[in-house]
Amino acid sequence: MAPSLTDTRELKTFVVDEGHGVKGLSELDIKTLPELFIQSHEKRLDMSKVVHHESIPVIDMSNSEDPDVIKLICDAAENWGFFQVVNHGVPLRVLDDVKDATKRFFSLPADEKKKYLFKNSPTKNVRLVSSFIPEVDKVLEWKDYLSCFYVSDDDAFAFWPRVCRDQLLEYMKESEPLIKQLLKVLITRLDISKLDETNEPFLMGSRRMNLNYYPKCPNPELTVGVGSHSDVSTLTILLQDETGGLYVRKLDTDNWVHVPPIKGSLTINIGDALQIMSNGRYKSIEHHVVANEHENRISVPIFVNPRPSDVIGPLPQVIARGEKALYKHVLYSDYVKHFYRKSHNGKDTIDFAKFVDCAFSHGLPTIYEP
Ligand code: OGA
Ligand code: NI
């Protein structure tokens, strides 16, 4: 039965607990945005801050060993924290398949999707969520997502939804050479000559993939698809459809730039873990997704992460150059728990690894663990 749009509890139950999601609400063809989703002005993207004459670099990866290309990648990671890659080697068919698989998953009936809600899922490695952390978010974000943490093929076969499992695994495997190549290039500027068993686990020891669904929204200007945040990953590889709506902060400014969809491209961004390991040289930049009045949007990020059991901090090779460490060593699973304790709030997660710590949040319970 359709929920009351004015009874916040009833609406939240419909969206969050019954498998309908924000998508189910959007499909009721509502004409105005319920209060539950109305964000404060500070949380919305101020369109007057968007600059149109600039954009993040677009890098052709066909000759990724070329010193000019290496320089473009390292410069982009330092100065933008975000770039797009084309000719990246991940077959376009694999990208199309994973987008189709995402649509297939979200087209399942609510009763089917409900099985993957955090409270029902038999594994903590798979969870379907609306908003970001509905247990914590006071105002909900206009988004549903399925989050899959990769442990092994057997685990994926057992627990990931059948309608998207094979395509997600293929996307993850086919993107591995690109991930390795990007990391190999990025560490050269940190005085590390190769990716090997001493650094690979920290840089790419675990993988999480999210299927993001941003349904059409009657009042997109009043809410957010995803509030401003930085990722907790080492690197994020993002596949987006042709809708657009992802905005990125321009380093050290109050301006934002749009990431225009380019067919066949992937968007790469540096996450907090690599900002910490590079002692601040590479930038984990805030980003934001706006809601859209006319189109449903999907995106599929692969978060390339350290292993939860790794202790991360500025890499020894970076400190050996005489730099003062800006971050302390933290257990990666503690860092991720900290991220999942609070609603999206710009770049504040990284304070957890700064020497002057935001001690207040240690006492808060965490909802999702790595
Ligand atoms: C994310 C994210 C961006 C997008 O899932 O962390 O920032 O375009 N997604 O969906
Ligand atoms: Ni993100």
Side-chain angles (χ1 to χ4, degrees):
M1 211 181 61
S4 153
L5 300 182
T6 48
D7 182 331
T8 295
R9 268 183 62 176
E10 193 177 317
L11 187 59
K12 202 164 172 180
T13 303
F14 175 87
V15 169
V16 171
D17 299 321
E18 295 178 349
H20 299 283
V22 180
K23 177 173 184 282
L25 176 61
S26 165
E27 288 171 356
L28 295 175
D29 218 14
I30 53 173
K31 299 289 178 257
T32 52
L33 185 73
E35 203 174 329
L36 182 58
F37 294 91
I38 300 182
Q39 298 282 343
S40 65
H41 284 276
E42 301 81 73
K43 297 275 177 184
R44 301 178 202 163
L45 182 64
D46 177 354
M47 283 299 171
S48 71
K49 302 269 173 64
V50 174
V51 290
H52 299 281
H53 55 278
E54 283 189 280
S55 52
I56 62 170
V58 178
I59 301 175
D60 186 333
M61 293 282 288
S62 334
N63 299 310
S64 58
E65 317 255 320
D66 178 335
D68 291 341
V69 178
I70 293 175
K71 182 172 183 326
L72 286 174
I73 293 172
C74 295
D75 285 351
E78 275 192 30
N79 302 326
W80 286 93
F82 254 90
F83 51 100
Q84 300 205 63
V85 291
V86 294
N87 296 320
H88 44 63
V90 186
L92 299 188
R93 199 247 331 137
V94 172
L95 302 183
D96 285 341
D97 285 354
V98 87
K99 282 189 273 187
D100 289 344
T102 303
K103 290 180 193 150
R104 256 197 321 274
F105 174 76
F106 284 101
S107 304
L108 291 173
D111 273 347
E112 198 52 42
K113 282 189 284 195
K114 210 165 115 177
K115 297 177 187 161
Y116 300 98
L117 293 174
F118 185 58
K119 60 177 184 176
N120 302 335
S121 178
T123 166
K124 71 181 177 82
N125 297 332
V126 179
R127 57 176 188 254
L128 174 64
V129 183
S130 295
S131 187
F132 172 52
I133 317 172
E135 298 83 349
V136 172
D137 298 334
K138 296 236 159 39
V139 177
L140 300 191
E141 300 185 345
W142 194 259
K143 169 189 174 178
D144 301 319
Y145 66 103
L146 179 79
S147 192
C148 299
F149 183 69
Y150 179 79
V151 180
S152 66
D153 282 2
D154 284 349
D155 181 81
F157 280 114
F159 296 116
W160 295 14
R162 287 179 83 95
V163 292
C164 55
R165 174 187 74 193
D166 297 354
Q167 294 75 19
L168 272 176
L169 283 173
E170 190 177 29
Y171 173 40
M172 192 183 78
K173 290 189 176 150
E174 292 283 346
S175 62
E176 180 130 345
L178 169 66
I179 292 166
K180 285 197 161 151
Q181 187 57 24
L182 287 168
L183 287 171
K184 218 171 97 186
V185 167
L186 288 167
I187 61 178
T188 56
R189 204 171 271 190
L190 305 178
D191 288 348
I192 302 173
S193 58
K194 62 180 196 307
L195 209 55
D196 61 22
E197 65 288 351
T198 66
N199 51 43
E200 220 182 271
F202 300 118
L203 294 166
M204 52 176 297
S206 77
R207 234 51 66 84
R208 175 180 292 284
M209 281 187 288
N210 284 1
L211 307 184
N212 293 331
Y213 195 96
Y214 305 91
K216 282 185 236 180
C217 178
N219 299 104
E221 67 291 351
L222 300 181
T223 191
V224 297
V226 174
S228 172
H229 69 284
S230 62
D231 294 347
V232 293
S233 55
T234 310
L235 282 184
T236 305
I237 315 293
L238 179 91
L239 170 65
Q240 63 166 335
D241 70 10
E242 63 291 342
T243 310
L246 169 63
Y247 291 82
V248 169
R249 186 190 286 280
K250 187 166 185 283
L251 182 65
D252 295 337
T253 74
D254 199 16
N255 292 328
W256 295 78
V257 295
H258 187 229
V259 179
I262 298 175
K263 204 169 165 27
S265 74
L266 289 164
T267 301
I268 311 295
N269 64 286
I270 305 300
D272 294 351
L274 189 53
Q275 174 164 331
I276 292 168
M277 287 189 259
S278 67
N279 202 32
R281 172 157 236 171
Y282 294 137
K283 310 298 189 309
S284 170
I285 289 289
E286 287 155 89
H287 49 289
H288 206 117
V289 175
V290 299
N292 188 304
E293 187 172 358
H294 304 290
E295 311 279 348
N296 301 313
R297 174 176 187 266
I298 56 167
S299 69
V300 190
I302 301 179
F303 301 102
V304 180
N305 298 329
R307 296 170 303 191
S309 58
D310 285 323
V311 172
I312 62 159
L315 293 167
Q317 293 88 340
V318 179
I319 297 307
R321 299 196 290 207
E323 288 182 23
K324 180 173 173 291
L326 298 177
Y327 305 100
K328 55 189 176 189
H329 282 75
V330 293
L331 180 66
Y332 188 63
S333 63
D334 284 345
Y335 193 84
V336 177
K337 277 188 206 168
H338 175 68
F339 180 63
Y340 286 119
R341 270 183 198 126
K342 55 191 183 50
S343 298
H344 284 138
N345 188 25
K347 261 209 79 143
D348 72 352
T349 318
I350 207 158
D351 293 344
F352 186 74
K354 287 191 180 147
F355 278 107
V356 183
D357 195 353
C358 54
F360 80 90
S361 67
H362 288 279
L364 295 175
T366 195
I367 306 295
Y368 309 126
E369 302 210 356

